[in-house]
Amino acid sequence: MKPHRALLLFVVLVLSGCSGDGAAPLATLERGLPSDPETLDPQKARSTQAAEVLRDIGEGLLGYTANGELVPAAAAGWEISEDGLSYTFHLRPEARWSNGDPVTAGDFVLGMRRLVDPATAAFYAQMIGAIDNAAAIVTGEQPPEALGVTAVDPHMLRVELTRPTPYLLALLTHPST
């Protein structure tokens, strides 16, 4: 190929990758799954396929490393009361939704209330049964607002339990929470 044609081809290839509106190119996630997820609604999803995709596109308060170690995700850190009945999570102030809005403690409150709300009919509602009033909400005896999860401020979430639940942190890695 002649040098000027090679240069022209190079310029065309470079310019074809540029966006005229200055917008960043969209990212595409390709994942091999044995079947399609039934939903990507975090509180209604049931399958492994849905959980895998939900973990790819979002994160909970905590997550796991590739080695299976529990680590902070949306939460920068947390404290557990001496009696094991109260967990306080401090959210990362830089955490953002895909549209750029800040992730707040209120978002987690709404998600967990929706999880136990009988109207949602969530498969995993019983999973957070140790949180104050969760069992009574699932059976319709209490409204979802009675759940023992409170946004202390936009970056602080408090979870109150009915009994010590040492595995609570692991439960909070699940996409439904």
Side-chain angles (χ1 to χ4, degrees):
M1 181 180 285
K2 295 186 179 187
H4 69 282
R5 287 189 183 172
L7 179 60
L8 180 61
L9 179 60
F10 175 75
V11 170
V12 169
L13 289 173
V14 168
L15 291 177
S16 69
C18 296
S19 171
D21 63 3
L26 295 176
T28 301
L29 172 66
E30 294 185 30
R31 181 181 252 294
L33 297 171
S35 64
D36 288 337
E38 75 282 1
T39 182
L40 293 181
D41 181 324
Q43 284 80 39
K44 292 188 175 190
R46 296 177 61 159
S47 68
T48 302
Q49 294 84 354
E52 288 179 11
V53 174
L54 287 167
R55 283 188 175 109
D56 284 341
I57 62 175
E59 65 182 1
L61 289 167
L62 294 100
Y64 288 106
T65 67
N67 296 328
E69 298 172 65
L70 195 61
V71 293
W78 58 88
E79 293 98 35
I80 304 170
S81 65
E82 281 189 40
D83 62 5
L85 296 177
S86 181
Y87 286 64
T88 303
F89 296 91
H90 304 277
L91 302 186
R92 291 184 297 115
E94 71 277 5
R96 297 279 184 266
W97 289 100
S98 58
N99 67 357
D101 289 349
V103 172
T104 67
D107 296 326
F108 286 96
V109 170
L110 290 174
M112 287 189 225
R113 284 179 180 170
R114 186 169 181 263
L115 178 61
V116 296
D117 188 337
T120 306
F123 182 74
Y124 291 107
Q126 300 292 337
M127 184 176 67
I128 62 170
I131 296 177
D132 276 350
N133 297 318
I137 296 165
V138 169
T139 60
E141 298 169 36
Q142 292 280 332
E145 297 76 29
L147 187 66
V149 180
T150 309
V152 177
D153 65 40
H155 294 103
M156 188 184 303
L157 177 73
R158 182 151 305 120
V159 178
E160 302 291 337
L161 304 177
T162 58
R163 63 187 179 277
T165 308
Y167 53 89
L168 178 72
L169 296 176
L171 292 177
L172 296 178
T173 67
H174 194 271
S176 67
T177 63

